[in-house]
């Protein structure tokens, strides 16, 4: 192999240097995002990951399980963001909340395709699909972390504030897809600020 | 034909009494909702509509155009709802707004599959797909009708209130799909009430 692909073997950033499992998850996430879950088959994923269908099935068992793996990867990144907010504004929950809103505004611009997990839930009509459990657990955990920050920030009703902000975010990420960047999502920051102000302790 | 299908010809509620075009749109809307746009083919739609693929293509030209027709049907129903609100609470915009929220709460329970138009926008990755224009026009018109009611109700910032309520609604209809009925959508009514109160004239 090393004589056949000398450059790839020498360059650790080359696709072949990344383990097949990670290459498959990364390629699948990318293709699902671009073409939709039903819009892409395992053959195309295997090809994009520079592997074959047999390896894909050996590592994941099924396309459904591969989809769950791509969604779990997204949830891990989201968890890291909360940890970063906590580190950056240690002990200042109001600043964490403010930064959370700004972070989401950036994402609305940079990721007009919306939330991979919400999109998967919308696209998968079958409620028994294993991805639904991954999505639901993730959305609940995000909402609960947000509620904890709202409570620490001294909101008058942290639970309702967290639910309201969660709905605004879910709505904004879908609204970019339904109405484009000039739709209601353009006011997401103002909407959040007005909501946070309405729920501030008086 | 009347001797071949005597019962259908005699009963105006039988599928054959409904014109093929309407039967196809109705069957397509139902199947897209159940299985997703990519999850269903024109053969299955033609069969469910008790017609054939040739008739379907003659009436709609393509599956894309048929999808647009199903979405336009939804938009007509939505338009009728605003007219009804206006008739029911003529001259009382605050009551119209309150009833709009209650109406959406009912829909969250009765239509856990969410908004057909938002779902289509999420499922169709290709931004050039003609359905996107139908969805965007519809979402803008809904938002503008809501803004007009917010303004008539004397809100302190009717534009921002309409955008915030639009995001809450879009978020709630997706949240039912991502988090189930016990997620943040459960608080949709309270979220709207708190938002409307925050934007009331002071």
């Amino acid at each position: 192999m090393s004589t056949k692909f000398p450059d790839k073997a020498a360059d650790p950033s080359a696709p072949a240097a990344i383990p097949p499992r990670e290459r498959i998850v990364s390629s699948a996430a990318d293709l699902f995002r671009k073409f939709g879950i039903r819009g892409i088959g395992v053959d195309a994923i295997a090809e994009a990951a520079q592997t074959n269908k047999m390896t894909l099935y050996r590592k994941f068992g099924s396309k459904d399980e591969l989809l769950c793996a791509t969604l779990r990867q997204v949830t891990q990144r989201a968890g890291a963001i909360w940890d970063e907010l906590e580190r950056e504004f240690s002990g200042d929950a109001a600043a964490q909340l403010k930064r959370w809103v700004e972070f989401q505004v950036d994402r609305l611009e940079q990721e007009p395709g919306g939330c991979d997990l919400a999109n998967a839930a919308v696209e998968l009509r079958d409620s028994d699909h294993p991805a639904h459990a991954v999505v639901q657990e993730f959305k609940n955990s995000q909402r609960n972390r947000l509620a904890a920050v709202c409570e620490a920030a001294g909101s008058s009703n942290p639970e309702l504030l967290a639910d309201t902000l969660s709905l605004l975010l879910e709505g904004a990420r879908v609204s970019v897809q339904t109405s484009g960047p000039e739709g209601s999502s353009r006011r997401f920051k103002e909407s959040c600020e007005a909501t946070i102000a309405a729920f501030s302790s008086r």
Side-chain angles (χ1 to χ4, degrees), chain A:
Chain A
M1 287 293 274
S2 65
T3 52
K4 208 175 169 191
F5 301 112
D7 292 334
K8 282 180 183 170
D11 178 3
S13 74
I18 303 166
R21 193 189 158 84
E22 288 174 39
R23 285 207 313 272
I24 294 168
V25 170
S26 163
S27 297
D30 191 41
L31 292 171
F32 288 148
R33 201 172 290 134
K34 273 186 197 144
F35 301 104
I37 296 159
R38 290 170 196 269
I40 206 82
V42 287
D43 286 300
I45 296 167
E47 196 187 324
Q50 298 184 17
T51 182
N52 54 58
K53 219 158 77 167
M54 195 187 284
T55 306
L56 187 151
Y57 279 120
R58 209 170 48 235
K59 303 240 171 244
F60 297 95
S62 67
K63 186 184 167 189
D64 288 353
E65 266 315 304
L66 171 56
L67 170 65
C68 289
T70 69
L71 299 179
R72 280 191 208 101
Q73 197 187 46
V74 175
T75 66
Q76 281 159 11
R77 277 204 297 268
I81 288 154
W82 286 106
D83 296 341
E84 201 184 303
L85 279 178
E86 231 168 65
R87 262 197 311 275
E88 201 181 344
F89 302 101
S90 175
D92 186 351
Q96 284 173 35
L97 198 53
K98 191 165 176 281
R99 183 74 194 94
W100 177 86
V101 173
E102 287 162 0
F103 173 77
Q104 302 300 348
V105 170
D106 288 345
R107 282 220 301 181
L108 285 171
E109 279 178 23
Q110 287 158 22
E111 298 171 15
C115 168
D116 291 335
L117 286 109
N119 291 354
V122 167
E123 198 174 347
L124 300 166
R125 297 300 198 279
D126 173 14
S127 59
D128 290 334
H129 193 292
H132 279 291
V134 179
V135 175
Q136 185 155 346
E137 193 191 329
F138 170 74
K139 292 290 176 182
N140 286 342
S141 78
Q142 293 296 294
R143 186 248 164 235
N144 291 341
R145 289 202 79 156
L146 186 55
V149 174
C150 292
E151 179 153 25
S155 159
S156 62
N157 189 340
E159 296 293 319
L160 184 55
L161 177 56
D163 282 317
T164 305
L165 294 174
S166 297
L167 293 180
L168 288 174
L169 175 60
E170 200 79 274
R173 297 204 71 185
V174 167
S175 180
V176 176
Q177 296 172 79
T178 61
S179 312
E182 294 305 310
S184 295
S185 67
R186 194 171 48 95
R187 313 292 289 274
F188 171 74
K189 187 164 183 266
E190 278 178 90
S191 292
C192 287
E193 285 168 353
T195 304
I196 292 167
F199 284 95
S200 69
S201 301
R202 274 163 289 206

